[in-house]
Amino acid sequence: MHRFHFNHLKLRSKLIFIYIVCVCIPIILTNIVFYNVTTNNIKKQKTVDAQQAMFQLKNELGVVIDDAASIAYLYSIDKLLENHLETDYASYDQYIESLASIKNIFIRSDKEYKTVSSAHIMTDNPTILASGNIINLEDSMRETDWYRSIKDHNNAYPNLYVTPSSISVIQQIADKRYRKYEHIIKIDLNMEYVNQLLTLSSFEGDVYFTDQNNEVRYSNAPAFLANMEPMLKENISKPQQAITFEQMYENNRYLGGWSLYGVLDEAKVLSEVRHSGQFIVWLAAINFFIPTFIILMMSRSIHTRIKHLLKHMKKVKGKNFEPVPYVQERDEIGELAVEFNRMIERIENLINDVYLADIQKKELEIRQRQAQLHALHSQINPHFLFNALETIRMRSLMKGEGETAKTIQNMAKIFRKSISWKRSFVTIREEIELIESFLEIQKYRFANKLQYQITVEEALKELLIPKMTFLPFVENASIHGVENSPGIGLITIQIAREHEQIVFVITDNGMGMSAEKLDELHHYFTEDDSMGESVGMKNVYTRLKICYGDEFTYKIESEHGHGTRIILRLPIKEVVQ
């Protein structure tokens, strides 16, 4: 029977033991004690702060409304303004003279531009012209809710009219029963300023402005702003654990019965609970020293033997395959040491038996690829030479013209370049010269049936590409595309730069290909290992894949009876020949 030892415990059992004793239990106990003590303290403090913030917000909003009410009151008792509004003006000049005499009355409202959005005096005196702060009282205004709210209201003091989007102070000037005309003062508060008061307030919850009937008239709550409709205070949507505050406006004729109602989410208050003072220090000491002692005792069982195993692993880097001395511990580290010994034994065998053979195999593959590349190059030259000679032979039999001399000269250029080009890469300029010689031969063959146009960016002409990259596609366009076309064949070649790529585009107006033929051609390029009929283009595709890999892309667009368009994209890179 074995004696109990920490080294015999499985690593997983050790980690679970460390977690339960050193992490789980201390954290649970600490959080329970901390939560009970600090939650109540923070909640009390936040409640006092929120109550004070609501009180301050009530006063600030009351001051804004009082300022507007005082302006309305000053307008209502001003005799000059009343005489101006009651006078029947015989001429425009008489009205302007009277208006100039009372312009100083509006200085107060103009100074309150931060808190007051607009201050208008509305009158139904037909001889008064609407201008500045004085406007006409239209019949449509008498149909509004704000007008109906003051119809039966005592005009001795202002009336507060609140909607979800505005706050206004409204007051009649004198009593219509004793005046010829009706005059109303309407002062709208600056809602941006009111919203700023709510935003900058230290109260962290939602604020509701309620009237005498406990109906919410204005609020910054998202749910209220989404509907923008008054609702009863009882219907306010509240969090599960809500703290409510209410500040009443008292001893105020026009604000009497109105109140500010605040709703604070208790969860947000408690989210800011933090450790405090000496209590934290004692808890931290308990959570640190006791778990540290246990962890040190347990980790010694792991650290010493892992360090010994690591020492042998570092020796392997220097090709010293010394095995770890056999140990009898039955935990994961003991098993790791045994598996390490097996591993270094296999590595040593693999190096001796497999590594050298693998190097030889890779060298053979590289040589085979190079041989394949040279073979592809050698297949191309006779292919084009045969087509050119066959063209000259056919034309010579049909006509005995002197144009044959020019064709032979172009043929000589192609033949000379095919022999003299020992390099794998040539410049675009050299490739274009070869293409032009080939197309001139084709023009000789087709007489007036073939036309071509070549456009090359000047900056690209000296860039290197694999030789005979574009020529097979030109040959395919002239022979397979234009030859069977009943009209005049046109071949357009464009070579341009797009970002860091060379873009080759060749277009012909020949017979084109069907979708099935396009799919067959794509399968032949990418998956078929045999050479088939389109040997020239197949060779080009294979060479470009060998040279550029996935950086080379091609695209063929064709429709039967409407020609073919081929796009090749090659990366721009320096080539070491």
Side-chain angles (χ1 to χ4, degrees):
M1 184 175 182
H2 298 283
R3 292 180 55 190
F4 174 81
H5 196 278
F6 279 124
N7 291 346
H8 297 320
L9 285 176
K10 295 292 184 180
L11 185 59
R12 181 173 178 271
S13 301
K14 294 175 182 176
L15 294 177
I16 294 175
F17 181 81
I18 292 173
Y19 172 75
I20 294 175
V21 176
C22 302
V23 179
C24 186
I25 295 177
I27 288 178
I28 293 175
L29 294 177
T30 301
N31 286 343
I32 291 174
V33 175
F34 169 79
Y35 183 83
N36 291 332
V37 173
T38 59
T39 296
N40 293 329
N41 294 336
I42 295 298
K43 183 177 178 181
K44 291 178 182 178
Q45 184 62 43
K46 283 292 185 179
T47 302
V48 173
D49 294 342
Q51 186 72 27
Q52 183 63 30
M54 283 291 295
F55 178 78
Q56 183 178 356
L57 182 59
K58 183 201 79 168
N59 292 338
E60 292 175 348
L61 183 60
V63 169
V64 174
I65 297 175
D66 285 338
D67 288 343
S70 63
I71 294 174
Y73 178 76
L74 289 177
Y75 285 173
S76 67
I77 65 175
D78 192 284
K79 294 301 180 182
L80 291 176
L81 178 60
E82 183 178 349
N83 292 334
H84 174 76
L85 297 175
E86 285 291 315
T87 302
D88 294 326
Y89 298 97
S91 65
Y92 175 80
D93 293 337
Q94 182 183 0
Y95 174 77
I96 294 299
E97 182 179 356
S98 176
L99 181 63
S101 65
I102 63 169
K103 64 180 181 179
N104 293 332
I105 296 176
F106 305 106
I107 294 177
R108 170 72 183 276
S109 63
D110 293 338
K111 289 183 178 180
E112 299 292 342
Y113 66 92
K114 287 186 178 180
T115 59
V116 174
S117 174
S118 63
H120 291 114
I121 299 174
M122 291 161 278
T123 178
D124 59 357
N125 186 346
T127 63
I128 288 181
L129 302 176
S131 61
N133 298 80
I134 301 177
I135 61 175
N136 298 115
L137 180 60
E138 306 289 347
D139 290 338
S140 60
M141 296 180 182
R142 290 189 172 96
E143 300 299 324
T144 59
D145 291 336
W146 64 262
Y147 181 86
R148 286 193 288 265
S149 69
I150 63 167
K151 186 175 181 181
D152 300 325
H153 185 71
N154 187 356
N155 65 351
Y157 54 90
N159 177 46
L160 185 63
Y161 178 76
V162 181
T163 68
S165 60
S166 66
I167 299 177
S168 304
V169 175
I170 307 171
Q171 184 173 4
Q172 294 182 347
I173 298 179
D175 194 329
K176 187 177 180 182
R177 294 174 295 176
Y178 309 109
R179 295 289 181 269
K180 292 186 295 182
Y181 303 109
E182 183 180 13
H183 317 294
I184 299 175
I185 302 169
K186 185 172 183 289
I187 300 176
D188 298 325
L189 298 186
N190 186 345
M191 297 310 297
E192 291 184 0
Y193 184 82
V194 174
N195 291 331
Q196 188 177 14
L197 287 179
L198 299 180
T199 302
L200 298 179
S201 172
S202 58
F203 185 78
E204 299 175 353
D206 297 330
V207 179
Y208 300 86
F209 192 31
T210 63
D211 61 11
Q212 301 91 334
N213 299 321
N214 285 333
E215 187 175 18
V216 177
R217 309 296 298 182
Y218 184 78
S219 175
N220 65 344
F224 182 85
L225 296 174
N227 297 325
M228 297 295 285
E229 291 182 1
M231 60 180 177
L232 293 176
K233 186 169 65 176
E234 293 78 10
N235 296 331
I236 294 176
S237 178
K238 302 176 184 177
Q240 291 183 350
Q241 295 179 330
I243 305 175
T244 59
F245 309 86
E246 188 168 14
Q247 291 288 337
M248 298 289 298
Y249 287 95
E250 300 175 350
N251 302 323
N252 192 310
R253 291 186 176 182
Y254 49 86
L255 276 175
W258 288 77
S259 65
L260 277 183
Y261 184 74
V263 178
L264 190 61
D265 190 355
E266 183 177 325
K268 293 183 179 180
V269 174
L270 299 180
S271 65
E272 297 181 3
V273 174
R274 297 179 178 177
H275 296 285
S276 60
Q278 186 178 6
F279 183 72
I280 296 178
V281 176
W282 284 106
L283 285 180
I286 295 173
N287 286 339
F288 177 76
F289 289 110
I290 294 179
T292 299
F293 173 77
I294 298 175
I295 291 172
L296 288 176
M297 184 175 59
M298 296 291 296
S299 63
R300 187 178 181 278
S301 168
I302 302 173
H303 177 264
T304 303
R305 291 179 301 134
I306 288 181
K307 187 176 181 181
H308 182 66
L309 181 60
L310 181 62
K311 179 180 177 181
H312 284 268
M313 289 182 176
K314 290 181 178 180
K315 291 181 180 180
V316 175
K317 183 171 60 176
K319 297 183 180 180
N320 183 359
F321 299 101
E322 179 183 354
V324 179
Y326 181 75
V327 290
Q328 295 182 349
E329 289 81 2
R330 294 189 298 273
D331 64 356
E332 285 81 359
I333 299 178
E335 294 177 358
L336 183 63
V338 174
E339 294 301 323
F340 173 76
N341 291 341
R342 295 177 183 174
M343 181 186 68
I344 60 174
E345 183 180 356
R346 293 190 62 187
I347 290 175
E348 189 173 12
N349 293 334
L350 287 172
I351 290 177
N352 295 331
D353 300 335
V354 179
Y355 182 72
L356 295 178
D358 186 66
I359 292 177
Q360 294 175 354
K361 181 180 178 181
K362 290 185 180 297
E363 289 179 351
L364 182 61
E365 290 177 355
I366 292 173
R367 291 177 182 176
Q368 184 178 358
R369 177 169 290 189
Q370 291 175 345
Q372 181 184 10
L373 184 59
H374 288 301
L376 291 173
H377 287 170
S378 63
Q379 290 176 5
I380 295 175
N381 294 337
H383 180 72
F384 291 117
L385 183 58
F386 173 79
N387 288 334
L389 290 174
E390 180 65 17
T391 299
I392 295 173
R393 186 187 69 81
M394 291 175 60
R395 189 65 178 174
S396 298
L397 292 175
M398 295 172 62
K399 295 183 180 181
E401 299 176 353
E403 299 178 25
T404 306
K406 183 177 179 180
T407 303
I408 293 175
Q409 182 182 10
N410 289 322
M411 188 61 234
K413 290 182 181 179
I414 297 177
F415 185 69
R416 184 164 49 252
K417 288 183 180 295
S418 66
I419 296 176
S420 61
W421 277 359
K422 302 298 183 181
R423 300 163 294 160
S424 298
F425 285 79
V426 298
T427 63
I428 292 179
R429 176 182 52 78
E430 294 174 314
E431 181 82 3
I432 293 301
E433 291 176 355
L434 185 65
I435 291 173
E436 289 176 340
S437 298
F438 174 79
L439 288 174
E440 286 297 324
I441 295 174
Q442 296 304 310
K443 286 186 67 175
Y444 175 80
R445 173 184 179 180
F446 295 114
N448 296 326
K449 187 179 179 180
L450 174 65
Q451 298 293 329
Y452 68 89
Q453 181 180 358
I454 301 177
T455 305
V456 184
E457 286 189 13
E458 192 67 29
L460 300 178
K461 287 186 176 181
E462 300 305 319
L463 292 180
L464 294 176
I465 59 173
K467 65 181 180 181
M468 294 189 181
T469 295
F470 304 143
L471 183 58
F473 296 96
V474 177
E475 178 204 16
N476 189 76
S478 62
I479 296 178
H480 300 289
V482 175
E483 183 176 12
N484 298 323
S485 178
I488 295 177
L490 175 62
I491 297 177
T492 303
I493 299 173
Q494 295 175 308
I495 302 178
R497 176 172 184 158
E498 184 176 305
H499 304 298
E500 295 301 319
Q501 290 183 323
I502 300 172
V503 181
F504 169 80
V505 181
I506 177 169
T507 307
D508 68 71
N509 61 347
M511 297 302 295
M513 293 179 284
S514 63
E516 293 77 9
K517 181 64 176 179
L518 278 177
D519 293 339
E520 180 182 343
L521 189 61
H522 177 71
H523 180 270
Y524 169 62
F525 282 172
T526 57
E527 299 183 19
D528 196 345
D529 293 333
S530 63
M531 282 302 173
E533 296 180 356
S534 301
V535 62
M537 292 194 297
K538 173 70 172 182
N539 285 341
V540 172
Y541 175 83
T542 305
R543 287 192 294 122
L544 293 179
K545 276 297 182 182
I546 292 175
C547 293
Y548 299 114
D550 292 336
E551 294 183 279
F552 156 70
T553 60
Y554 81 98
K555 183 178 181 182
I556 302 178
E557 300 172 351
S558 184
E559 184 178 352
H560 186 68
H562 294 84
T564 303
R565 186 170 183 257
I566 300 176
I567 303 172
L568 304 181
R569 295 179 181 271
L570 312 179
I572 297 177
K573 59 171 62 176
E574 294 184 3
V575 177
V576 179
Q577 300 197 66

